[in-house]
């Protein structure tokens, strides 16, 4: 019952946002989304670096609060930990386990988390991902919280979640000193989950990526 109640409350909130959006044009909604992103960047003293600067060493200095902006997608990313192990190779498929917290930047509220609300989900969200020579495709296991909240019959992983996979390593805790990759993302609506896409709002994510067995 707790699980059902939590998801129902979350979906009611999202439907209220969608209802308000019915009176706005798409251009208005995108302006509002951009304003929410800019407000977070300003309030959080984010130091935005260009993609060209990032690609020199593919790192973001957490001490300087650096985030890279990928102009083509509008996704902002901060690599908190690159992680142990190795990247997903060309042509390779793998099961990836994720722990995450999702914040709606329009309402500045946490919408979903398998970290803060473990009672509503398994410990990890599980997704199967393939690196098709630089293009990543992923699908959630139907037990995953993201699928249960936003799937609507589709297991497709939001493209924003796949952006970091070019730059991080996938590994597991095997020995002392091993680290699990962690990133922070600002994901605009058209790179996000289905409710964000439909209602035109950006989400802030904290996500860890761990190679499954």
């Amino acid at each position: 019952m707790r699980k059902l109640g939590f998801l129902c409350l979350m979906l009611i909130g999202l439907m209220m946002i969608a209802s308000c959006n019915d009176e706005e044009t798409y251009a208005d909604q995108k302006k509002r989304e951009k304003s929410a992103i800019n407000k977070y960047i300003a309030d959080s003293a984010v130091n935005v670096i260009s993609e060209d600067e990032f690609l020199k060493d593919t790192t973001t200095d957490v001490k300087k609060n650096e985030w890279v902006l990928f102009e083509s997608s509008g996704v902002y990313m901060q690599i908190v930990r690159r992680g142990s192990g190795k990247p997903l190779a060309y042509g390779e498929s793998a099961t990836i386990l994720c722990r995450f917290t999702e914040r709606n930047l329009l309402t500045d509220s946490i919408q979903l988390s398998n970290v803060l609300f473990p009672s509503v989900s398994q410990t990890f969200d599980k997704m199967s991902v393939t690196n098709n020579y630089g293009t990543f495709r992923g699908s959630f296991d139907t037990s995953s919280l993201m699928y249960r909240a936003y799937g609507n019959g589709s297991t497709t992983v939001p493209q924003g979640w796949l952006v970091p996979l070019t730059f991080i390593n996938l590994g597991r805790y095997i020995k002392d000193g091993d680290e699990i990759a962690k990133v922070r993302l600002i994901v605009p609506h058209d790179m996000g989950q289905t409710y964000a896409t439909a209602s035109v709002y950006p989400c802030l994510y904290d996500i860890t990526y761990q190679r499954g067995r």
Side-chain angles (χ1 to χ4, degrees):
M1 291 297 293
R2 284 185 179 181
K3 296 181 181 180
L4 181 60
F6 173 81
L7 292 176
C8 286
L9 287 172
M10 185 198 71
L11 293 176
I12 288 171
L14 293 175
M15 286 188 289
M16 290 175 64
I17 293 174
S19 176
C20 293
N21 286 352
D22 287 342
E23 300 177 2
E24 298 176 313
T25 67
Y26 181 55
D28 290 336
Q29 292 172 342
K30 289 205 299 182
K31 287 179 181 177
R32 187 177 66 166
E33 176 183 54
K34 184 64 175 176
S35 294
I37 292 173
N38 288 341
K39 183 178 187 302
Y40 175 80
I41 289 172
D43 291 350
S44 302
V46 169
N47 178 18
V48 179
I49 63 174
S50 70
E51 194 168 348
D52 286 342
E53 184 177 354
F54 170 72
L55 291 176
K56 292 177 182 177
D57 57 10
T58 64
T59 63
T60 52
D61 190 331
V62 177
K63 292 181 180 179
K64 296 180 180 178
N65 201 19
E66 288 183 346
W67 294 58
V68 56
L69 168 61
F70 296 99
E71 293 281 359
S72 61
S73 65
V75 171
Y76 293 79
M77 178 182 71
Q78 181 182 67
I79 299 176
V80 180
R81 296 190 302 263
R82 193 180 297 277
S84 304
K86 58 184 180 179
L88 194 64
Y90 281 1
E92 183 184 7
S93 297
T95 297
I96 300 176
L97 307 177
C98 295
R99 301 190 73 192
F100 75 95
T101 297
E102 175 190 73
R103 180 179 291 273
N104 182 329
L105 286 183
L106 282 186
T107 60
D108 192 26
S109 59
I110 293 173
Q111 285 188 162
L112 206 62
S113 177
N114 60 9
V115 178
L116 301 178
F117 311 118
S119 63
V120 302
S121 177
Q122 298 182 21
T123 304
F124 296 98
D125 272 29
K126 181 187 296 184
M127 58 186 187
S128 299
V129 178
T130 298
N131 181 353
N132 188 14
Y133 298 94
T135 300
F136 294 89
R137 294 286 182 269
S139 59
F140 284 116
D141 186 276
T142 55
S143 65
S144 296
L145 183 58
M146 282 288 286
Y147 170 78
R148 289 160 52 206
Y150 305 123
N152 292 328
S154 172
T155 59
T156 302
V157 175
Q159 282 298 305
W161 276 47
L162 302 176
V163 168
L165 293 177
T166 300
F167 310 105
I168 62 173
N169 296 320
L170 297 176
R172 297 190 295 267
Y173 289 118
I174 298 175
K175 61 183 185 303
D176 289 346
D178 285 347
E179 290 187 328
I180 300 303
K182 180 178 181 179
V183 304
R184 305 193 75 202
L185 299 171
I186 298 173
V187 178
H189 73 283
D190 52 352
M191 295 289 286
Q193 37 85 350
T194 54
Y195 279 80
T197 299
S199 298
V200 191
Y201 65 83
C203 288
L204 171 70
Y205 290 97
D206 286 79
I207 312 178
T208 61
Y209 296 80
Q210 177 177 334
R211 188 180 290 267
R213 296 185 182 276

